[in-house]
Amino acid sequence: MSLAQLKDQATHLDASEQRELIAYLISRQTEQDENFKHTLARKIDDTDPSHWVELDDLRKRYSE
């Protein structure tokens, strides 16, 4: 199956299945890329509110 076909199939998933797919792909990347793992952990652990994004802002950004 080509990447284009995978993308097409992903557009037909419901929102919860898309989130599950995203989580799966991130976990695969984290397993395979130590640098990505550390970068993601650093972002998750960031306690500086100026670096945070409101959930509503993310929804607006990615629903356009």
Side-chain angles (χ1 to χ4, degrees):
M1 183 177 285
S2 71
L3 182 56
Q5 291 170 312
L6 288 170
K7 288 179 179 180
D8 182 59
Q9 290 295 313
T11 63
H12 294 92
L13 299 173
D14 65 37
S16 67
E17 291 172 322
Q18 287 181 358
R19 285 191 298 273
E20 185 177 344
L21 177 59
I22 291 166
Y24 169 75
L25 293 172
I26 290 172
S27 72
R28 293 286 300 143
Q29 186 171 4
T30 302
E31 290 172 2
Q32 297 171 2
D33 185 341
E34 200 64 30
N35 186 43
F36 177 79
K37 184 178 187 176
H38 290 295
T39 300
L40 184 60
R42 183 178 42 78
K43 289 181 178 187
I44 290 170
D45 294 338
D46 188 350
T47 59
D48 183 346
S50 70
H51 297 153
W52 299 350
V53 178
E54 292 291 330
L55 182 56
D56 287 339
D57 293 337
L58 281 177
R59 285 186 176 138
K60 289 176 191 171
R61 185 182 305 171
Y62 292 105
S63 66
E64 297 174 348

